[in-house]
Amino acid sequence: MTPTAIVLAVLLIATLAWAGYRFQRLLRPLFQAPREDRLDHVGQRLWGVVTNVGGHSRLLKNRYSGTLHLFIFSGFVILLTGIVQAFGQGLVPGFSLAPIGGNTWIALLQDLFDVIVMVGLAMAAYNRYVRKPERFRGSNEKDATIILALIFAVVFDMLLHNAFRVATGTDPSAPWRPVSSGLAALFGLVGIHGRSAELPAAIFYWTHVLAVLAFLAYIPTSKHLHIFVGIPNIFFRNLQPNGVLPAADLSQPSIGVKDVHQLGWKQMLDLYACTECGRCQAVCPAHAAGQPLSPKLLIMDLRDQLLDAEGIGGHRQAADGGSRELLGGRILDQTLWSCTTCRACMQVCPLHIEHVPKIVDMRRQLVEQGRMEPRLQDTLASLTQHGNSFNQSERMRARWTRELGFEVKDARKQAVDVLWFVGDFASYDPRVQPMTRALARILQRAGVDFGILYEAERNTGNDVRRVGEEGLYEMLAQHNLETLGKCSFQRIMTTDPHSLNALAQEYRTLGSTYPVIHYTRLLEELLTSGALKPERPLERVATYHDPCYLGRYNGGFDAPRQVLARLGLRVHEMGRCRENSFCCGAGGGRIWMDDTGVTERPSENRIREAVALGDADYFVVACPKDVVMYTAAVQSLGMEDRIQVKDVIELTEMALSLEPAAVA
Amino acid sequence: MHIAVVVKQVPDLVEELEVDAAGTGLDRAWVKMKLNEFDDHALEQAVLLKEAGGAQVSVVALDGEGIDQVLYAAVARGADRALKVDAGTQEPLDSRRAATALAGAIRDLGPDLVLTGVQAADDLFGQMAPFLAAELGWPHVSVVSQVEVAGAAVRVQQEYAGGRMATLEVDLPAVIGVQAAPQPPRYVPVSRLRQAMASGALETATAGAGAGTGGAAVTQLAKPEAGRGAEMLTGSPDQVAEKIEALLRERGLLRG
Ligand code: SF4
Ligand code: SF4
């Protein structure tokens, strides 16, 4: 072996050993972590890797950053050949990629991608140091800079090495290296060619090799771990339906997560995969509202907690300045309570990191320890005692039917076609009851055979579960499933998207198989079949707000829009629509908590967005909670004369000319 | 330290209350019962003492419909034992009778300290704690908002009208009527409640002879008659303010 080869071999082995050791330390807790099954549907998992990694499907949703990432990523794949070449040559005399095109097409690609990566790097630097989007706030800036510098060193030195080799006049791949050749020509102008180019070629060979080694050594201590764990993280992503939370084992004396080691192995892998890109932070309604939650910082905090616990050294201080506690220490109770479980973060995360299950798992511990604000505690007590969140008697649940003018079938006593699961807000909230009655009248007019459960209905527990009160959720779910089991019906319709999620998705894990639809779907059917005929088309402009639990969680994007079109409305979409809808702020139990610390309510932020469209007469919603939230928002902004909040039900009633008095 | 917490249920006011056919009680068919809020605070105070310095907490109640649930919830909250006292009836007793019915069982239990709610919806005079203390022959303090152990005594904060507080030391054993625990009663997750129920550790005792007697008898119970409608003050804010001032003067509520 030549002395060069020995030096290179020693350096390489030392770096690999260090990196391997680091990885082993990082991965050790994963092997002792609670089980999570992520090996089913291998085909689907692989396909996800292809589209997400190869196709950059989520990354490209942000055009600028997605493109620059694609430049750097594709460059990396190509330049790997250059790196192999560099090390191969150094270690094994006579090593060459020439037989597979190393001196022809590979050389050409290397040359071109050298430039493409540098363009990507320039874009990244411009983004990070000039544009400075808010999503980077809180990310580790120094780490990002080191990484950018190292990548630059790797590709720049590689390019110069190639250029000087071309300048020596002995490089057989020279005709295939247009960029290097151009540079070599420039060197020639200052007299560097032939023998005199050999020394700089050697220098840049070594700086290139050292940069590669430095990069390799640095990665396992940085956020750029995603180069290695990103692909596995996407492969092992959660394939369960969006609306199903991982269950907690209630037979255990304690549930949830209070120590970072109680996270499942995939939940831990998530922590290493995070690139601190902040896409999640940018879409988080809690963060936008000025609350102490950023999904990005939450993941970073959990990662640092894990690194600290493993003695590998976290990068950042705990929020309380150094306590070893996870809950109330590194992650504050208020941070966890700020989440609306809207799922926007999970929808955008390019690494498919699962924020909401972690948040709920930690909330489960807070609930177990009774750490919650009084209003939430009272609500949970009411749900335990009376099965509704309004602290009212079960017998008041169907009181809204009294002013209806006709009897609604009792689905417990008679078979019905549609079993209407009304939900707490639509049943008890005096501001929503008029709409509930309107829907009853619409169904009556359309000749739908429907019934309700009267006092036997209970809150479905969708948000109870997301608050972290797993036992209460199970109790409510069991009660509802027992009641439904004794009824005869074809399908269930819900007013509330949150009930829809529980009945259609969560209850399936408890053995339910009922078909469940949202009322917007039924209205769409009735309008399409002609059972409902609008008498006076509304001929106005509406913008439609996708409720998180109807849209993102249950894919109900089209039915409400079709209803609006059939009512004669023109829909002017807001920028944040469909999957990218912006949460009203009420989900995940937030509606049972107070607004302290909120600087701008998400609902007000949303109304401003709608008003800024300029021509929307109606702000249309399809969730009873939204009617309450947005009406309040319009009032507090004093924008009553600019836009009106309307539920799809109200608009349908208007178009049908179905005034309450006409029926009663 | 062994602390006994005496609890009971009161009607839950989410349901409308109806007078029964005899006109002497509530129509129980429609009434939902829940734990007396002040007893809830007494229990919280006991659990806090247990957490602070170690104590055994026993929760004691007269048998009655739904009482098992209340006792299990107390166990889930941190009580070590739960005792149900059979006074030969499922009907709720007034405080006088309840105190005589419970005294024997409490004496057998032998606690150092008895905590109970300062009052209840059906004991607005707060007689339960004093009656119990009289039956046991122990000292008693009521309207207490904090209890601390001080050697062989307890130091309590007693509240007076106008927000004045007194700190008293009471020799043990003693009976304390709790107005409020230093922190609101904590939430009991349903999973805990279920675990407590699954453990099924309720003890029972029988009230001694002569228990549950004495006291007053209700001869008639009626809903309050609706009073005269409220007088609405109308006019501009200034006019309304003047009217309010005139009214306050008229009733002698304003000086100067
Ligand atoms: S679910 Fe919504 S509120 Fe919760 S962290 Fe994610 S984006 Fe923020
Ligand atoms: S969690 Fe995902 S979206 Fe958020 S910063 Fe990390 S990688 Fe980016």
Side-chain angles (χ1 to χ4, degrees):
Chain A
M1 259 183 144
T2 62
T4 323
I6 292 171
V7 172
L8 193 59
V10 169
L11 283 176
L12 184 62
I13 289 168
T15 311
L16 287 178
W18 155 249
Y21 165 74
R22 261 312 278 213
F23 266 108
Q24 176 266 331
R25 288 292 303 269
L26 288 170
L27 295 179
R28 194 167 54 189
L30 270 68
F31 290 98
Q32 290 148 8
R35 256 178 78 101
E36 282 180 281
D37 265 338
R38 296 292 172 92
L39 277 170
D40 52 336
H41 302 95
V42 174
Q44 193 185 347
R45 292 184 179 283
L46 283 172
W47 181 241
V49 172
V50 170
T51 56
N52 279 278
V53 181
H56 270 49
S57 56
R58 284 194 175 189
L59 279 164
L60 283 168
K61 294 228 164 92
N62 182 328
R63 194 98 59 73
Y64 184 91
S65 300
T67 307
L68 79 85
H69 188 274
L70 187 59
F71 283 180
I72 299 177
F73 168 78
S74 52
F76 241 82
V77 175
I78 301 294
L79 298 184
L80 212 51
T81 57
I83 293 171
V84 168
Q85 216 167 1
F87 280 90
Q89 270 167 13
L91 291 169
V92 187
F95 176 91
S96 167
L97 290 180
I100 57 161
N103 286 335
T104 56
W105 62 276
I106 292 181
L108 176 66
L109 284 178
Q110 281 177 0
D111 238 36
L112 294 180
F113 275 93
D114 249 339
V115 176
I116 288 179
V117 172
M118 281 194 271
V119 170
L121 287 172
M123 287 171 76
Y126 179 70
N127 197 30
R128 194 166 280 275
Y129 307 114
V130 182
R131 290 168 90 205
K132 291 194 184 152
E134 201 278 340
R135 65 186 168 95
F136 287 141
R137 213 178 72 208
S139 301
N140 188 338
E141 195 74 17
K142 200 175 98 201
D143 191 49
T145 305
I146 293 176
I147 285 291
L148 286 180
L150 283 173
I151 300 176
F152 179 77
V154 169
V155 288
F156 184 70
D157 295 348
M158 179 188 274
L159 184 62
L160 285 189
H161 166 62
N162 287 333
F164 281 112
R165 276 190 37 159
V166 172
T168 59
T170 58
D171 187 347
S173 67
W176 290 84
R177 291 193 186 275
V179 184
S180 303
S181 301
L183 286 172
L186 283 180
F187 300 150
L189 291 180
V190 293
I192 305 173
H193 54 82
R195 296 291 305 264
S196 64
E198 274 171 18
L199 180 65
I203 290 174
F204 283 105
Y205 170 80
W206 279 102
T207 52
H208 166 68
V209 161
L210 288 175
V212 170
L213 293 175
F215 191 70
L216 207 57
Y218 185 69
I219 286 176
T221 63
S222 88
K223 68 167 193 173
H224 271 256
L225 265 180
H226 87 273
I227 294 174
F228 291 101
V229 298
I231 291 174
N233 207 60
I234 293 171
F235 179 82
F236 293 123
R237 72 193 179 280
N238 185 13
L239 294 182
Q240 287 289 308
N242 292 350
V244 179
L245 267 180
D249 182 358
L250 289 175
S251 64
Q252 297 299 317
S254 170
I255 63 166
V257 166
K258 66 172 170 222
D259 172 348
V260 69
H261 285 111
Q262 289 169 320
L263 290 171
W265 68 267
K266 171 59 176 55
Q267 303 303 314
M268 286 186 191
L269 192 65
D270 274 358
L271 310 181
Y272 295 148
C274 176
T275 64
E276 304 179 12
C277 74
R279 282 171 173 76
C280 53
Q281 176 172 308
V283 296
C284 175
H287 180 75
Q291 289 190 286
L293 166 66
S294 147
K296 174 185 76 179
L297 296 181
L298 181 101
I299 297 297
M300 290 166 68
D301 279 334
L302 282 168
R303 178 198 63 200
D304 291 345
Q305 183 78 6
L306 180 61
L307 293 179
D308 275 350
E310 289 293 308
I312 326 181
H315 308 274
R316 292 150 58 250
Q317 275 260 311
D320 69 349
S323 129
R324 303 208 153 261
E325 292 290 317
L326 178 64
L327 302 183
R330 181 88 67 171
I331 294 178
L332 302 177
D333 293 17
Q334 195 47 45
T335 301
L336 296 171
W337 289 128
S338 298
C339 178
T340 70
T341 69
C342 73
R343 210 176 180 282
C345 49
M346 294 175 62
Q347 189 78 36
V348 294
C349 177
L351 279 303
H352 291 257
I353 285 167
E354 300 155 31
H355 312 75
V356 178
K358 295 182 187 65
I359 292 174
V360 171
D361 245 342
M362 288 185 276
R363 283 180 170 187
R364 284 172 178 160
Q365 257 304 309
L366 295 182
V367 169
E368 191 166 291
Q369 298 174 25
R371 285 157 66 172
M372 65 183 89
E373 62 178 76
R375 196 149 82 84
L376 177 58
Q377 175 162 343
D378 291 346
T379 308
L380 292 181
S382 166
L383 284 158
T384 311
Q385 180 92 356
H386 313 298
N388 66 71
S389 57
F390 283 78
N391 203 25
Q392 289 198 25
S393 155
E394 290 99 314
R395 287 201 309 280
M396 304 291 277
R397 187 175 275 277
R399 206 192 173 124
W400 61 269
T401 59
R402 285 198 202 162
E403 290 160 47
L404 204 52
F406 61 90
E407 188 81 7
V408 177
K409 273 191 178 180
D410 187 337
R412 295 169 300 174
K413 300 187 182 131
Q414 300 177 57
V416 290
D417 179 26
V418 173
L419 188 145
W420 180 8
F421 202 97
V422 188
D424 284 6
F425 266 80
S427 300
Y428 286 104
D429 194 305
R431 296 164 294 186
V432 186
Q433 283 168 346
M435 252 156 343
T436 313
R437 282 191 284 271
L439 183 53
R441 283 191 294 268
I442 294 168
L443 297 181
Q444 170 93 343
R445 155 78 71 98
V448 175
D449 173 27
F450 71 101
I452 62 175
L453 292 173
Y454 285 85
E455 65 267 25
E457 185 184 303
R458 293 283 177 279
N459 183 298
T460 55
N462 190 65
D463 299 286
V464 170
R465 180 155 218 222
R466 278 151 185 83
V467 156
E469 202 348 351
E470 188 77 355
L472 179 54
Y473 158 71
E474 274 202 3
M475 187 174 103
L476 293 165
Q478 275 159 9
H479 179 102
N480 282 323
L481 284 171
E482 256 167 48
T483 308
L484 290 170
K486 289 184 223 137
C487 301
S488 163
F489 57 88
Q490 294 309 309
R491 53 185 175 165
I492 300 174
M493 177 195 80
T494 76
T495 337
D496 197 321
H498 298 248
S499 317
L500 173 77
N501 190 68
L503 287 159
Q505 297 206 43
E506 296 278 28
Y507 286 12
R508 279 194 203 286
T509 59
L510 301 172
S512 158
T513 54
Y514 304 119
V516 190
I517 55 167
H518 187 242
Y519 78 82
T520 48
R521 160 77 39 220
L522 187 63
L523 289 183
E524 187 269 322
E525 277 177 25
L526 297 171
L527 285 161
T528 306
S529 71
L532 286 176
K533 289 192 194 64
E535 283 167 21
R536 36 173 197 153
L538 299 175
E539 285 167 356
R540 303 283 284 273
V541 179
T543 192
Y544 173 71
H545 164 74
D546 289 280
C548 307
Y549 278 90
L550 179 58
R552 253 195 305 273
Y553 274 100
N554 286 281
F557 296 117
D558 297 325
R561 289 178 167 82
Q562 285 157 357
V563 171
L564 297 182
R566 293 214 177 254
L567 299 179
L569 289 158
R570 187 169 73 76
V571 180
H572 187 171
E573 298 283 3
M574 290 177 275
R576 295 177 289 185
C577 63
R578 300 178 73 95
E579 289 90 348
N580 300 320
S581 181
F582 188 65
C583 176
C584 72
R590 282 293 314 159
I591 200 155
W592 304 321
M593 298 175 223
D594 69 29
D595 272 353
T596 34
V598 172
T599 50
E600 188 196 24
R601 289 197 193 98
S603 53
E604 293 175 9
N605 176 311
R606 186 64 156 166
I607 291 293
R608 279 184 226 274
E609 181 181 11
V611 168
L613 291 176
D615 62 350
D617 304 301
Y618 299 132
F619 183 87
V620 184
V621 297
C623 167
K625 290 185 183 84
D626 279 344
V627 179
V628 175
M629 297 293 284
Y630 288 114
T631 309
V634 169
Q635 277 165 3
S636 79
L637 290 171
M639 289 186 164
E640 290 100 325
D641 52 342
R642 311 272 299 273
I643 201 158
Q644 276 182 289
V645 176
K646 291 278 182 205
D647 193 280
V648 173
I649 299 170
E650 287 174 277
L651 294 169
T652 309
E653 189 176 42
M654 278 163 64
L656 293 174
S657 305
L658 200 68
E659 300 309 328
V663 178
Chain B
M1 172 83 102
H2 182 184
I3 306 170
V5 185
V6 178
V7 301
K8 71 184 223 173
Q9 298 189 97
V10 293
D12 187 338
L13 297 180
V14 302
E15 305 287 349
E16 255 181 53
L17 301 181
E18 297 288 342
V19 175
D20 65 10
T24 57
L26 290 174
D27 186 347
R28 302 254 154 218
W30 290 115
V31 179
K32 246 185 159 170
M33 303 296 277
K34 65 168 196 185
L35 175 62
N36 173 28
E37 193 189 330
F38 295 99
D39 294 345
D40 207 4
H41 278 269
L43 177 61
E44 183 64 34
Q45 177 65 76
V47 174
L48 286 173
L49 285 171
K50 173 179 167 177
E51 285 169 353
Q56 192 195 15
V57 176
S58 301
V59 53
V60 185
L62 284 175
D63 198 2
E65 199 183 317
I67 200 69
D68 288 8
Q69 191 77 9
V70 169
L71 292 175
Y72 284 129
V75 171
R77 276 263 290 286
D80 305 289
R81 292 170 65 184
L83 181 66
K84 189 162 73 167
V85 180
D86 177 11
T89 170
Q90 291 279 307
E91 291 301 307
L93 300 179
D94 65 31
S95 296
R96 180 83 192 83
R97 292 197 182 102
T100 53
L102 287 168
I106 291 177
R107 209 175 283 114
D108 291 345
L109 204 59
D112 304 296
L113 178 64
V114 174
L115 300 180
T116 189
V118 64
Q119 64 180 73
D122 58 357
D123 180 19
L124 287 177
F125 295 122
Q127 293 176 317
M128 185 62 193
F131 277 147
L132 207 50
E135 286 291 334
L136 294 165
W138 295 354
H140 148 255
V141 184
S142 258
V143 205
V144 162
S145 56
Q146 186 167 334
V147 183
E148 284 166 42
V149 178
V154 284
R155 195 173 302 122
V156 302
Q157 302 280 338
Q158 189 182 41
E159 198 180 317
Y160 292 88
R164 265 173 255 269
M165 302 291 281
T167 305
L168 306 173
E169 250 184 41
V170 195
D171 286 338
L172 296 178
V175 181
I176 308 289
V178 176
Q179 155 118 328
Q183 68 180 45
R186 67 196 73 183
Y187 182 72
V188 189
V190 170
S191 55
R192 279 271 175 80
L193 188 62
R194 291 201 167 166
Q195 281 163 8
M197 287 166 73
S199 73
L202 294 191
E203 300 167 39
T204 48
T206 317
T213 55
V218 177
T219 53
Q220 199 197 345
L221 190 72
K223 285 197 170 184
E225 277 170 32
R228 201 161 49 91
E231 184 187 343
M232 297 303 289
L233 301 177
T234 53
S236 73
D238 284 342
Q239 288 166 334
V240 172
E242 269 171 37
K243 285 182 195 168
I244 293 175
E245 191 195 341
L247 272 172
L248 292 176
R249 275 189 201 292
E250 193 187 304
R251 315 252 148 121
L253 292 165
L254 262 189
R255 253 181 277 161

